[in-house]
Amino acid sequence: MKKNFGIIGNPIQHSLSPVLHNYWFRKYQIDANYTLIDIKEIELPDVIKKIKNGDLNGINVTLPYKQKIVSFIDVLVNDAEITSSVNTIYLDNKGRVVGDNTDVFGLQAAYLKEIDDVDKKKALVIGAGGVSPSAILSLQKLGIRDISIINRTKEKCFFLKKKFNNLQISEWVNLKDVLKNYDIILN
């Protein structure tokens, strides 16, 4: 029986996820399909129902729903528990909808693994949106202790400062001036 997967977001038409996943499904002769699922926020409960009833075997989540979907999920695991941000959702063998976060590992594996002397590095995260909790956790797991965040709307930074210890908030109006103070900048 063919399995159905997809990625939710809005807008979503730019995503190359179907190209990537369908390539691997074909290459390894997996009877599955991966599609774009363009939904509005009000439809989040409906997509979770599709996972529960088997119409979808799993989904990936992108902006703007990485945090918004959390309230509809039965259990958060791994880094999703810490970040309250989800990019992968599936049904476990107990019938629970599980939210996971692979962004943290992906960022570490793809970009951060090459950084030396992490205890001496200063990092700046630009933006307080969907993937920023994962970026902050990736930096913390790497061992970077001096992490700041900057965002056009400072209020969004306060939520992240509560969640992550020792996170500093920089002023948006000072962005150009403060960039030179950091060894690592994630946007």
Side-chain angles (χ1 to χ4, degrees):
M1 179 189 239
K2 184 173 248 176
K3 294 193 175 199
N4 293 302
F5 301 93
I7 182 167
I8 65 168
N10 190 325
I12 195 67
Q13 300 310 321
H14 65 282
S15 175
L16 296 176
S17 291
V19 173
L20 174 72
H21 290 284
N22 287 320
Y23 169 82
W24 292 110
F25 290 156
R26 283 190 307 275
K27 181 171 176 67
Y28 291 103
Q29 300 174 356
I30 298 169
D31 193 15
N33 186 46
Y34 191 101
T35 61
L36 296 175
I37 305 170
D38 190 358
I39 63 171
K40 294 177 177 48
E41 186 173 344
I42 196 166
E43 298 171 284
L44 290 175
D46 298 332
V47 80
I48 296 299
K49 284 180 191 169
K50 288 181 180 181
I51 292 171
K52 283 187 177 188
N53 70 22
D55 292 337
L56 286 169
N57 298 95
I59 58 170
N60 293 119
V61 182
T62 192
L63 296 173
Y65 302 133
K66 288 179 182 257
Q67 284 96 23
K68 293 175 182 177
I69 194 87
V70 168
S71 63
F72 303 104
I73 293 172
D74 298 327
V75 61
L76 297 177
V77 297
N78 304 321
D79 292 331
E81 272 187 293
I82 300 166
T83 62
S84 299
S85 179
V86 169
N87 75 341
T88 303
I89 300 174
Y90 59 91
L91 197 64
D92 71 7
N93 58 6
K94 296 177 184 174
R96 300 177 302 178
V97 176
V98 177
D100 201 347
N101 180 317
T102 62
D103 288 331
V104 175
F105 174 76
L107 185 57
Q108 289 174 314
Y111 300 107
L112 300 179
K113 66 182 178 188
E114 304 298 326
I115 298 172
D116 297 325
D117 299 322
V118 293
D119 55 329
K120 298 175 186 168
K121 303 291 187 197
K122 290 178 69 175
L124 175 67
V125 176
I126 301 174
V131 79
S132 58
S134 300
I136 295 165
L137 184 58
S138 293
L139 292 164
Q140 286 182 340
K141 282 185 164 190
L142 187 65
I144 296 173
R145 288 184 222 106
D146 192 343
I147 304 170
S148 296
I149 188 163
I150 193 166
N151 193 63
R152 286 179 298 217
T153 53
K154 191 174 181 179
E155 295 76 26
K156 289 184 177 182
C157 295
F158 293 125
F159 165 77
L160 292 167
K161 185 168 176 61
K162 276 181 163 180
K163 185 172 256 334
F164 298 99
N165 293 334
N166 302 324
L167 184 66
Q168 304 302 312
I169 298 175
S170 293
E171 296 290 334
W172 184 259
V173 295
N174 299 330
L175 177 61
K176 288 181 184 176
D177 296 331
V178 300
L179 288 176
K180 65 182 176 288
N181 299 329
Y182 295 95
D183 305 295
I184 303 161
I185 299 170
L186 299 174
N187 183 9

